[in-house]
């Protein structure tokens, strides 16, 4: 039987895992391995993907992928679960572990005053951000990892000035398949932090420990932070920390990042471990006894073979060996093996596969999970079905329910956009705008009194204050949209939204996760582009950003309203619907085209965890808002500001640098030059072109420029149609372009401007022809 045939509520054991490459490794890393028990929970409302429970957590899987996984019925008498018996609690020994792993205070500490570097590594939703914020308070710096747009956060641990902690992206394994995994792995291997702080969600411990196993192979000092212990305890679970420490050979500290419990102790351990450079005392997780020790012998054989190569390449030996078995091309080339060595290794692996009865990747994943199972049987008292889990299931009955999911989702997102833009954003924006205008006017009065030249006054008032106004006017919308977004994200709802909409977006070569940035695009492209950060693959990010301009942003509504009033009175609703739908349609065509052009591009897998719903932490939300606003202001300010001043300059001067009024300005002259290009659209009037150019700054300016230049008289119903079509699709405003430039780089941003203008021209031309046929 295949996994996709499983009915809701049924359980089965996994027999074999098919598929290949990225996706298969990802299955295995997420615990979809032969022998694991899965329970089918339900299908998404559109019938795909499915929601499964495995290793005590919830996972999404597309039906097409599930078809590659073979299952068999669960045996009636499963092995009785061990480790249930309670033991007496013993105190956690604390710093130094009673000298178990090292004679306390001896050893070879790093010299006083060394800057101790830490890497915070863990699965998504394990509480990394929460812990990071607890550890660093406000001493943090947000940036990018060089070369990739993956958020990088560095900070100093509070009260420990000579520390530096880096929050790495959430990952499930060290297999280099997603940008995040590569970033994290390279960071650890190349920058060699003094200590890894591995954060593990104790309420989902089996899956989380998988990464821990891989991290321990890296020969880097490490502490394990068992997070969410508050939830585990309140549900009757516990972890025998001392025994776990003994088995793993590294300090294990139970914490609750959200409640700030155990964090002090964690810091003490981490600093101690880093200073004394104590590596995990154990790396050898392959059990000699397991299945005749096939995996064990294979691994150790290869380790001996490649030891010198690994040392020469600066790679930890066991890590290199496991990655070699998994077939990691990067590690393979780094090791510079000779042909006969490669053959020998291949031979060893093939023999292991035969003896073990599993292929190499499955055998490795299985080796790790068997160790974890044994470890947990000895040290973890599993909580009874947790309150949080039951609550999540109840909430999910509605939020991902067959009939309720989509209406609720549409309602939520409309509410978010409406609240952000109309209720809160626009008034705040107006307030800020009038504040800045007032300030500009006051300044102007002062300047006039001083007898400052009119050109300079215009620069200050129209150029600088106008520019600042444009930048600042985006801030309220960004803050408010991100406030709601972070509520949705942190609570766990976003993962459900992705689950519900995956089927739709997959046709475009995207995954369900892109739905949120796209919908935010109807509000404002700037936060939409910024929010693509949460997408898992670089390809998804790029395509989603390229599609956001097709989600007609709210700043274009005044343009639509202006034309409706002038040319289609009484048909406002119809005009809006037609416009929005056509833009989406063009976007879909573009996405399909891109899929045609790059047929080799593997669709990113949609194997995603559905975390329990949790209350978002106020501190996390506040930090995020601060980050995003700062980010926007820092990066966008320069671009928007400079663009505003350039447009002001072009608008106010002629080519002899005399200050002039609209008609004779450089802008008008340039517009006159460009106008013939727009003639086929019926828009060959310089005033129209001027209005369009000013729309590059902000879409609202199109209307104001048209009013100033009295454009309406140059338009007919027919040209109004082509103008609407052009405005609908042409280049996003400079703020959006700045955001795109930040995510994708200058070349793609420039390309986007050109591409959008071409498409807009084409569509407007078609609209002009078709409408001309009917209107005559
Ligand atoms: P990240 O994805 O690893 O950065 O995880 P976050 O820090 O965003 O945390 C995910 C969710 O878990 C958030 O809703 C947090 O409020 C919540 N959370 C984090 N730590 C704890 C904890 O110790 N106990 C509980 N109950 N919730 C926590
Ligand atoms: Mg986070």
């Amino acid at each position: 039987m295949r996994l996709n045939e499983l009915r809701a509520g049924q359980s089965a054991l996994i027999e074999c895992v098919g598929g290949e490459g990225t996706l298969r490794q990802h299955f295995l890393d997420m615990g979809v391995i032969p022998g694991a028990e899965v329970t089918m929970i339900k299908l998404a409302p559109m019938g795909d993907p499915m929601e499964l429970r495995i290793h005590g957590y919830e996972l999404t899987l597309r039906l097409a992928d599930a078809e590659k996984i073979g299952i068999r019925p669960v045996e009636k008498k499963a092995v009785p679960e061990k480790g249930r018996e309670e033991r007496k609690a013993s105190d956690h020994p604390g710093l130094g572990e009673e000298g178990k792993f090292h004679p306390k205070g001896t050893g070879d500490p790093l010299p006083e005053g060394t800057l101790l570097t830490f890497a915070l590594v863990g699965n998504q939703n394990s509480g990394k951000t929460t812990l990071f914020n607890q550890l660093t308070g406000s001493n943090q710096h947000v940036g990018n990892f060089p070369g990739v747009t993956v958020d990088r956060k560095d900070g100093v641990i509070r009260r420990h000035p000579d520390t530096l902690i880096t929050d790495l992206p959430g990952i499930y394994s060290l297999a280099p398949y997603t940008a995040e995994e590569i970033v994290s792995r390279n960071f650890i291997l190349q920058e060699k932090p003094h200590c890894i702080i591995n954060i593990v969600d104790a309420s989902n411990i089996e899956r989380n420990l998988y990464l821990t196993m891989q991290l321990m192979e890296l020969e880097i000092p490490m502490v394990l932070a068992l997070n969410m212990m508050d939830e585990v305890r309140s549900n009757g679970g516990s972890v025998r920390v001392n025994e776990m420490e003994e088995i793993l050979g590294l300090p294990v500290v139970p914490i609750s990042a959200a409640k700030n419990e155990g964090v002090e102790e964690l810091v003490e351990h981490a600093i101690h471990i880093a200073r004394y450079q104590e590596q995990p005392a154990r790396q050898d997780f392959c059990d000699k006894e397991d299945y005749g020790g096939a995996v064990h012998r294979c691994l150790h054989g290869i380790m001996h073979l490649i030891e010198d190569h690994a040392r020469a390449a600066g790679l930890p030996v066991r890590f290199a060996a496991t990655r070699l078995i998994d077939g990691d091309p990067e590690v393979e080339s780094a090791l510079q093996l000779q042909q006969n060595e490669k053959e020998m290794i291949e031979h060893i692996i093939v023999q292991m596969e035969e003896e073990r009865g599993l292929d190499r990747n499955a055998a490795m994943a299985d080796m790790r999970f068997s160790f974890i199972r044994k470890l947990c049987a000895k040290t973890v008292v599993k909580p009874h079905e947790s309150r949080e889990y039951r609550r999540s299931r109840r909430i999910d009955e509605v939020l991902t329910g067959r009939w309720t999911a989509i209406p609720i989702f549409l309602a939520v997102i409309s509410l978010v956009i409406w609240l952000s833009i109309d209720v809160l954003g626009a008034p705040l924006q107006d307030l800020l705008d009038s504040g800045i205008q007032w300030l500009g006017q006051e300044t102007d009065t002062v300047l006039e009194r001083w007898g400052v030249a009119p050109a300079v006054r215009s620069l200050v008032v129209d150029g600088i204050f106008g520019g600042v106004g444009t930048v600042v006017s985006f801030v309220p919308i960004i803050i408010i949209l991100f406030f709601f977004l972070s509520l949705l994200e942190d609570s766990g709802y976003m993962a459900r939204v992705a689950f519900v909409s995956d089927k739709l977006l997959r046709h475009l070569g995207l995954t369900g996760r892109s739905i949120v940035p796209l919908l935010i695009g109807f509000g404002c492209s700037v936060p939409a582009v910024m929010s693509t950060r949460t997408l898992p693959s670089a390809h998804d990010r790029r395509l989603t950003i390229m599609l956001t301009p097709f989600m007609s942003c709210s700043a274009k509504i005044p343009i639509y309203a202006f034309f409706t009033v002038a040319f289609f009175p009484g048909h406002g609703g119809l005009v809006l619907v037609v416009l929005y739908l056509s833009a989406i349609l063009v976007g879909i065509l573009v996405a399909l085209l891109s899929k045609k052009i790059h047929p080799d591009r593997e669709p990113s897998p949609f194997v995603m965890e559905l975390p329990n719903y949790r209350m978002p932490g106020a501190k996390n939300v506040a930090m995020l808002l601060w980050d995003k606003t700062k980010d926007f202001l820092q990066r966008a300010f320069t671009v928007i500001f400079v663009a505003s001043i350039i447009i002001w300059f072009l608008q106010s001067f002629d080519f002899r640098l005399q200050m002039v009024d609209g008609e004779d300005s450089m802008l008008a002259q340039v517009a006159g030059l460009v106008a013939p290009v727009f003639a086929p659209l019926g828009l060959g009037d310089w005033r129209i072109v001027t209005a369009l150019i000013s729309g590059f700054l902000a879409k609202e300016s199109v209307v104001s420029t048209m009013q100033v230049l009295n454009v309406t008289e140059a338009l007919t119903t027919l040209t109004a149609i082509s103008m609407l079509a052009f405005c609908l699709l042409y280049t996003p405003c400079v703020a959006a372009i700045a955001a795109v430039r930040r995510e994708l780089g200058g070349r793609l941003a420039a390309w986007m401007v050109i591409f959008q203008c071409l498409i807009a021209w084409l569509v407007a031309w078609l609209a002009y022809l078709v409408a001309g046929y009917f209107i005559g």
Side-chain angles (χ1 to χ4, degrees):
M1 214 166 113
R2 304 266 116 192
L3 184 54
N4 59 327
E5 297 163 41
L6 210 57
R7 297 271 170 72
Q10 287 180 334
S11 296
L13 291 178
I14 292 178
E15 194 160 47
C16 60
V17 181
E20 54 192 24
T22 318
L23 185 59
R24 179 158 195 272
Q25 186 68 50
H26 201 50
F27 285 160
L28 298 169
D29 289 341
M30 298 294 281
V32 183
I33 50 168
E37 184 174 338
V38 285
T39 307
M40 158 78 176
I41 306 248
K42 69 166 146 202
L43 290 175
M46 286 186 246
D48 194 16
M50 66 200 300
E51 179 181 353
L52 299 168
R53 190 165 172 78
I54 187 165
H55 295 293
Y57 78 100
E58 241 96 304
L59 186 73
T60 66
L61 206 61
R62 287 174 178 163
L63 289 181
D65 295 332
E67 201 184 337
K68 298 175 190 145
I69 295 169
I71 50 171
R72 61 186 148 91
V74 187
E75 287 117 44
K76 279 281 160 310
K77 260 276 168 260
V79 194
E81 219 176 303
K82 277 211 228 137
R84 278 267 168 210
E85 80 271 27
E86 292 284 341
R87 295 206 193 167
K88 257 202 264 146
S90 59
D91 281 337
H92 189 235
L95 192 63
E97 297 82 32
E98 299 173 330
K100 249 185 288 169
F101 302 126
H102 55 88
K104 197 176 170 203
T106 62
D108 196 9
L110 296 173
E112 260 330 294
T114 314
L115 180 72
L116 297 176
T117 52
F118 297 87
L120 188 58
V121 191
N123 286 183
Q124 281 158 27
N125 296 307
S126 56
K128 275 185 313 94
T129 308
T130 315
L131 178 61
F132 184 78
N133 289 343
Q134 291 288 10
L135 288 175
T136 58
S138 53
N139 314 316
Q140 45 172 284
H141 170 79
V142 187
N144 255 345
F145 283 97
V148 265
T149 43
V150 174
D151 273 331
R152 170 176 181 154
K153 274 185 161 188
D154 294 321
V156 177
I157 299 179
R158 265 191 277 199
R159 288 186 292 282
H160 297 277
D162 47 358
T163 57
L164 185 73
I165 181 162
T166 304
D167 184 15
L168 294 180
I171 53 173
Y172 293 105
S173 121
L174 288 181
Y177 290 117
T178 65
E180 281 73 12
E181 282 170 357
I182 296 173
V183 164
S184 303
R185 188 170 114 152
N186 289 349
F187 180 85
I188 298 170
L189 288 175
Q190 283 158 18
E191 312 226 347
K192 293 205 191 310
H194 291 117
C195 172
I196 294 175
I197 299 177
N198 175 211
I199 181 162
V200 157
D201 174 357
S203 66
N204 182 0
I205 194 160
E206 288 186 19
R207 218 271 329 283
N208 272 253
L209 283 174
Y210 186 83
L211 178 66
T212 308
M213 302 286 103
Q214 297 190 327
L215 292 173
M216 286 170 72
E217 290 176 346
L218 295 178
E219 296 176 2
I220 291 178
M222 181 161 135
V223 285
L224 196 69
L226 285 179
N227 194 27
M228 315 262 181
M229 282 308 286
D230 54 322
E231 268 184 28
V232 172
R233 272 195 214 107
S234 73
N235 292 304
S238 65
V239 178
R240 294 193 200 101
V241 174
N242 296 352
E243 287 166 45
M244 189 175 272
E245 276 188 345
E246 191 131 22
I247 296 172
L248 293 176
L250 49 72
V252 178
V253 189
I255 65 167
S256 165
K259 307 216 156 109
N260 203 10
E261 289 166 10
V263 176
E264 281 295 310
E265 193 189 347
L266 178 71
V267 170
E268 280 174 41
H269 276 279
I271 288 181
H272 181 91
I273 287 276
R275 178 142 286 140
Y276 283 86
Q277 285 296 292
E278 287 164 19
Q279 294 183 7
R282 168 157 194 174
Q283 275 197 332
D284 201 357
F285 311 114
C286 40
D287 198 326
K288 281 197 206 78
E289 320 281 289
D290 271 357
Y291 305 93
V295 175
H296 170 81
R297 271 178 285 120
C298 164
L299 239 172
H300 287 265
I302 293 177
M303 280 165 67
H304 287 306
L305 265 174
I306 62 165
E307 190 164 354
D308 46 341
H309 292 269
R311 295 279 170 237
L315 289 172
V317 181
R318 195 180 155 99
F319 167 78
T322 51
R323 296 307 314 147
L324 215 51
I325 298 177
D326 270 337
D328 185 325
E330 255 180 70
V331 169
E332 197 177 322
S333 68
L335 286 176
Q336 297 186 320
L337 297 167
Q338 270 144 24
Q339 191 54 32
N340 63 335
E341 288 171 311
K342 281 187 196 162
E343 280 162 18
M344 205 156 11
I345 288 170
E346 181 61 22
H347 196 77
I348 296 176
I349 300 175
V350 170
Q351 194 177 358
M352 179 273 283
E353 290 182 320
E354 271 165 28
E355 284 179 41
R356 179 63 187 83
L358 285 176
D359 70 281
R360 56 197 75 187
N361 305 86
M364 296 304 288
D366 177 72
M367 177 265 290
R368 296 196 184 103
F369 275 111
S370 338
F371 180 83
I372 293 170
R373 264 197 304 276
K374 281 179 226 158
L375 173 69
C376 290
K378 285 192 199 124
T379 58
V380 177
V381 180
K382 285 232 176 84
H384 47 75
E385 194 179 60
S386 75
R387 243 196 333 270
E388 289 76 17
Y389 175 65
R390 265 174 294 152
R391 188 181 60 196
S392 285
R393 293 301 310 281
R394 270 204 311 279
I395 298 177
D396 263 347
E397 268 164 35
V398 182
L399 293 190
T400 62
R402 197 167 177 147
W403 305 114
T404 42
I406 294 169
I408 290 185
F409 164 56
L410 291 177
V412 167
I413 215 80
S414 319
L415 190 73
V416 165
I417 292 182
W418 178 67
L419 281 178
S420 314
I421 307 279
D422 292 341
V423 179
L424 296 165
L428 281 175
Q429 194 171 356
D430 288 346
L431 203 71
L432 270 173
D433 231 20
S434 41
I436 289 169
Q437 252 176 33
W438 176 83
L439 211 65
Q441 235 107 68
E442 290 299 297
T443 317
D444 192 36
T445 328
V446 174
L447 291 183
E448 195 176 4
R449 209 172 304 142
W450 289 350
V452 174
V456 177
R457 263 171 48 209
S458 168
L459 170 69
V460 171
V461 177
D462 303 325
I464 296 180
F465 277 94
V468 174
T470 326
V471 176
V472 173
S473 66
F474 277 96
V475 171
I477 288 185
I478 286 179
I479 294 185
I480 296 162
L481 268 176
F482 268 102
F483 171 73
F484 288 116
L485 277 183
S486 69
L487 289 191
L488 297 182
E489 176 87 46
D490 271 11
S491 63
Y493 182 57
M494 216 72 113
R496 269 74 181 182
V497 170
F499 174 63
V500 169
S501 47
D502 181 62
K503 189 174 180 189
L504 261 179
L505 287 168
R506 192 176 20 169
H507 295 301
L508 306 181
L510 290 169
T511 71
R513 295 190 191 230
S514 300
I515 191 80
V516 173
L518 289 180
L519 289 176
I520 294 301
F522 286 117
C524 176
S525 304
V526 177
V529 169
M530 287 166 83
S531 71
T532 55
R533 274 295 163 86
T534 55
L535 298 181
S537 89
H539 162 246
D540 285 5
R541 253 189 300 253
R542 197 160 52 228
L543 187 54
T544 310
I545 290 175
M546 285 301 184
L547 292 182
T548 27
F550 296 102
M551 310 297 128
S552 169
C553 82
S554 63
K556 291 182 187 167
I557 292 175
I559 308 182
Y560 307 153
F562 177 81
F563 280 99
T564 310
V565 170
F567 297 98
F568 316 100
H571 299 293
L574 183 70
V575 171
L576 273 190
V577 171
V578 169
L579 285 172
Y580 273 67
L581 288 183
S582 355
I584 294 173
L585 189 74
V586 177
I588 291 175
L589 290 178
V590 167
L592 292 178
L593 195 72
S594 124
K595 220 170 106 177
K596 263 264 160 3
I597 296 173
H598 307 282
D600 49 319
R601 206 169 261 157
E602 228 181 305
S604 13
F606 191 63
V607 187
M608 186 187 68
E609 184 185 352
L610 290 180
N612 286 342
Y613 288 101
R614 289 199 169 93
M615 220 32 208
K619 196 167 172 179
N620 275 2
V621 174
M623 289 279 201
L624 183 105
L625 293 186
W626 172 233
D627 284 354
K628 291 291 172 194
T629 315
K630 212 169 58 178
D631 183 70
F632 172 75
L633 285 176
Q634 275 172 356
R635 319 265 162 177
F637 212 104
T638 41
V639 180
I640 301 177
F641 195 65
V642 169
S644 311
I645 292 193
I646 291 177
I647 298 249
W648 162 82
F649 179 72
L650 293 177
Q651 238 168 0
S652 317
F653 292 88
D654 67 7
F655 281 105
R656 280 167 297 136
L657 298 187
Q658 302 290 318
M659 259 198 113
V660 287
D661 276 340
E663 251 165 275
D664 305 315
S665 70
M666 280 187 262
L667 189 65
Q669 308 264 347
V670 171
L673 284 181
V674 182
V677 176
F678 291 91
L681 315 180
L683 305 176
D685 190 299
W686 69 269
R687 290 168 295 179
I688 298 178
V689 180
T690 309
L692 288 175
I693 294 178
S694 70
F696 182 57
L697 214 53
K699 293 293 177 234
E700 295 92 331
S701 329
V702 174
V703 172
S704 53
T705 314
M706 283 197 297
Q707 277 160 340
V708 170
L709 297 180
N710 212 351
V711 177
T712 340
E713 62 184 31
L715 287 167
T716 63
T717 310
L718 189 56
T719 50
I721 290 176
S722 84
M723 177 88 173
L724 270 175
F726 194 82
C727 286
L728 181 68
L729 294 168
Y730 86 122
T731 174
C733 69
V734 61
I737 295 294
V740 175
R741 183 173 147 239
R742 163 124 166 77
E743 300 302 319
L744 300 180
R747 253 194 39 215
L748 278 175
W751 200 80
M752 184 186 225
V753 174
I754 297 168
F755 179 69
Q756 289 292 133
C757 288
L758 281 178
I759 290 207
W761 193 93
L762 211 66
V763 173
W765 183 64
L766 283 175
Y768 186 63
L769 288 188
V770 173
Y773 180 77
F774 286 109
I775 300 174

